[in-house]
Amino acid sequence: MEVTDSLKENVMNHIRPWITAGVTLVGASAVAVSPVTVVLPEIQGPAAQAFAIQLTAADIVLDLVRHGQSTENVTDYIGTTAPGAPLTDLGEQQAITVGEQLYNGGDNNISGVWASDFLRAQQTAWPLVGLLAGNSDYNQIPDGPTPLLDPSQILSGLGEINAGWLEGQSGTIPGLLYLLPTIAWMTGNYWVPMLGSSINPNGMAFQDNYSGAIQTIYDTSTADPDNDGSDVAFSHGAAIMAWTMMNVKNPDWGLFLETLAGDRGLPNTGQVVVEGNPTDGWTLVSWNGQAVDAQPDLLTSLFVDWRDLITAPQMASWHIWEALLTGDPSEFFNAIGQGAEQVFSALVEFPQAVIESFVNAFSDLGAGSSLDTSDLLADLTGALAS
C-alpha cells in the first residue's frame, strides 16, 4: 500500500511536540549550567516559524555552463585570477557549438544570459548572446579585452575558485591539491582553507560569493512576474561542481566521482542544470547531460540533513568574524543575532528533516513493492504519541 501525503503529515504532527520538547530541554540544560546570564536577541523568521506552514518562492531553471577550452587548460596551468586566459581555436568552436545548441534555432525559453568576469567565460557566452540578439556575426568571437558583454550580465561571483598559493602552477599534483579543499566543502566542511587565497579562503567565503551571484540571477529573473524562462550562466568547472554539490537537495556523488575520474572535472562546455530558488533550495536536474532523480535515496537524504546542520554554525561564525573585522558594533551584533537564529533554526529542523527522510524512504519502498508500510508507520506514530 502506498503511503499517502496525509499519512506523512499525520506522522509529523505526532512527532513535532517531541521534537520541540527535546530542543526545549537542551536549551534549558544549557541555561542551567551557564555561569553568565545572556540576553539573546528575539528569534524571528525561520526559527520562530520552524513548524509553521512556509510559503514557497517561485522557482527558476538555471543552466550552469563551463567555459570552452582555454590556452591554460591545454597545459593544466592553474589560472584563477581574472581576466585570465582566452579560448583556444577549439574552445571558440566549442563556444559556437554550445551557443547554437542552447539557442536551438530560436526555439528556446532563455530569459537571461550571464557570465563571470573571466575572458574565457565571456567569450564562451558571446555566440549565445549574439544569437539571442539576432546578430549574424555571432561566431566572430572577439579576443578581448573584457568586458565583452553588457556589464549587467557580468557577475564576478561566478568566477573560478581562487587557487591561492597554487596559482600559476601546472601539472596533475597541483591540480589535485587544488580540488581537495573544494571536495571537503562539498561534504559540509566549509572550514577547510584554500591556502593563500584572499578571495575564497574557505568554503564559507566561496558560498557567499557564488550564492550572491545566483541570488542576483534569481532576483533579475523573477522581477518580471510573466517570465517563466530559464537562465544560462557561463562559469568555471570547479566552481560549478562545488556550488552544486554544496547546495542541491539531491547531490549525485556517483556522477560527481565519475566526472572526476574521467576528466578530473566537468568537461569544457559541460552543463549542470538546477531548479529551485534561494529560499527553498535547489534540486539537481541534470549533470553533464545525465538526468538526476529529484528524490534522493535515504543515505543521500540523510547526508543532506547532516550537511545542512553542520554548515549553519560555520556560516554564522564566518559572518560574525567578517562583521568583527569591520569595526562596526552594530554589524557585529546584527551578525550575532542572525547567526543565533540560523543555528537555532538548523537545530530545530534537523530532527524533523531526518524523520522526513525516513518517511520518504518508506513511502518509496511501499510504492515500489508489495510491502505494506502503513502498519509500520502507524506503529511509529503510536509509539511517539504514547
Side-chain angles (χ1 to χ4, degrees):
M1 173 181 175
E2 182 176 351
V3 179
T4 63
D5 291 337
S6 61
L7 180 56
K8 293 183 189 178
E9 183 178 356
N10 188 39
V11 172
M12 295 311 304
N13 286 337
H14 278 80
I15 66 174
R16 282 191 180 103
W18 290 87
I19 296 173
T20 305
V23 173
T24 303
L25 287 174
V26 171
S29 299
V31 172
V33 300
S34 175
V36 180
T37 301
V38 179
V39 179
L40 292 177
E42 181 181 357
I43 302 299
Q44 299 176 346
Q49 303 174 12
F51 302 120
I53 297 175
Q54 298 181 1
L55 297 177
T56 57
D59 288 346
I60 66 168
V61 175
L62 178 60
D63 190 347
L64 299 167
V65 186
R66 187 192 176 195
H67 59 79
Q69 184 192 70
S70 73
T71 56
E72 292 176 346
N73 292 152
V74 177
T75 58
D76 285 336
Y77 179 90
I78 301 177
T80 60
T81 302
L87 298 179
T88 63
D89 291 342
L90 173 59
E92 291 190 5
Q93 186 55 56
Q94 291 172 334
I96 295 169
T97 298
V98 75
E100 291 174 342
Q101 290 173 345
L102 291 167
Y103 182 66
N104 194 30
D107 184 15
N108 60 76
N109 64 341
I110 297 173
S111 61
V113 180
W114 312 80
S116 77
D117 53 348
F118 283 68
L119 174 60
R120 54 185 180 267
Q122 294 175 39
Q123 286 181 314
T124 309
W126 180 271
L128 177 59
V129 171
L131 284 165
L132 291 171
N135 298 333
S136 59
D137 61 346
Y138 67 89
N139 56 354
Q140 302 300 310
I141 301 175
D143 295 330
T146 56
L148 302 184
L149 311 182
D150 187 288
S152 65
Q153 296 177 285
I154 299 172
L155 300 174
S156 61
L158 295 175
E160 185 58 284
I161 299 174
N162 184 263
W165 292 340
L166 294 171
E167 179 75 14
Q169 300 192 37
S170 301
T172 301
I173 299 302
L176 292 175
L177 291 175
Y178 171 61
L179 285 175
L180 284 177
T182 70
I183 295 174
W185 302 346
M186 297 178 204
T187 64
N189 295 291
Y190 290 4
W191 60 269
V192 175
M194 181 67 75
L195 297 175
S197 175
S198 59
I199 300 174
N200 304 122
N202 50 50
M204 289 88 77
F206 169 73
Q207 175 78 324
D208 278 344
N209 293 337
Y210 208 93
S211 291
I214 300 297
Q215 183 72 56
T216 299
I217 295 173
Y218 178 80
D219 291 342
T220 305
S221 183
T222 56
D224 180 2
D226 297 325
N227 177 27
D228 59 355
S230 59
D231 290 272
V232 181
F234 291 86
S235 185
H236 305 258
I240 293 173
M241 292 191 300
W243 182 86
T244 300
M245 298 295 287
M246 290 166 68
N247 287 275
V248 297
K249 304 173 184 177
N250 57 333
D252 193 316
W253 286 96
L255 282 178
F256 167 72
L257 293 174
E258 180 181 318
T259 301
L260 207 60
D263 298 307
R264 296 213 314 273
L266 197 66
N268 292 117
T269 64
Q271 301 174 50
V272 172
V273 180
V274 298
E275 182 175 8
N277 61 77
T279 302
D280 305 306
W282 299 93
T283 299
L284 179 58
V285 176
S286 65
W287 179 282
N288 197 27
Q290 298 189 53
V292 178
D293 192 345
Q295 180 59 49
D297 58 37
L298 178 59
L299 288 179
T300 301
S301 186
L302 291 175
F303 160 76
V304 171
D305 297 338
W306 176 250
R307 178 197 70 187
D308 293 346
L309 174 67
I310 65 174
T311 55
Q314 294 178 72
M315 293 301 298
S317 299
W318 176 248
H319 293 154
I320 292 171
W321 173 250
E322 287 188 309
L324 180 63
L325 293 179
T326 66
D328 186 339
S330 62
E331 286 194 26
F332 176 67
F333 287 110
N334 284 337
I336 291 178
Q338 292 173 3
E341 177 183 337
Q342 292 162 1
V343 172
F344 180 80
S345 178
L347 287 171
V348 171
E349 292 171 359
F350 175 67
Q352 179 182 1
V354 170
I355 294 297
E356 287 179 344
S357 294
F358 277 103
V359 171
N360 287 332
F362 288 143
S363 175
D364 293 339
L365 181 62
S369 68
S370 59
L371 177 63
D372 188 345
T373 60
S374 60
D375 291 339
L376 178 60
L377 289 175
D379 292 341
L380 175 61
T381 303
L384 289 171
S386 61

